[in-house]
Amino acid sequence: MRVKILPPHGCDRSALDARSWAELPEGSRVRDTLRLIRCGPLKAKLLLVSVNGERCPLDRELHDGDVVGFFFPVSGG
């Protein structure tokens, strides 16, 4: 299945094509995308995750065509 991944700054994009799509096996979960982009566990704990624009947990199962986004929470002052 093909999934679009919007990785956070500093992660490895080499497994993604020019438009940020990656091939994953059926039954893959959001946490599998973190491994694919080589996002370390500390950074992963700081991220907010969305699939198709909705916040979700790391164990959410992915489907063909999903868009996975990773974002750092922003605080202001």
Side-chain angles (χ1 to χ4, degrees):
M1 79 176 150
R2 287 178 49 83
V3 175
K4 187 169 191 164
I5 302 172
L6 307 172
H9 179 73
C11 290
D12 182 5
R13 296 172 181 260
S14 64
L16 309 178
D17 70 14
R19 295 184 183 207
S20 295
W21 289 90
E23 291 287 335
L24 293 170
E26 292 294 325
S28 291
R29 300 192 175 274
V30 172
R31 75 177 70 256
D32 298 320
T33 64
L34 287 169
R35 283 189 213 101
L36 185 71
I37 60 173
R38 298 182 183 164
C39 183
L42 180 59
K43 186 183 282 189
K45 287 183 180 186
L46 299 173
L47 295 172
L48 299 175
V49 182
S50 71
V51 173
N52 302 325
E54 292 183 26
R55 282 196 60 195
C56 69
L58 294 176
D59 64 346
R60 177 169 171 171
E61 186 172 344
L62 297 171
H63 303 283
D64 190 53
D66 280 348
V67 177
V68 181
F70 297 100
F71 307 94
F72 287 105
V74 178
S75 62

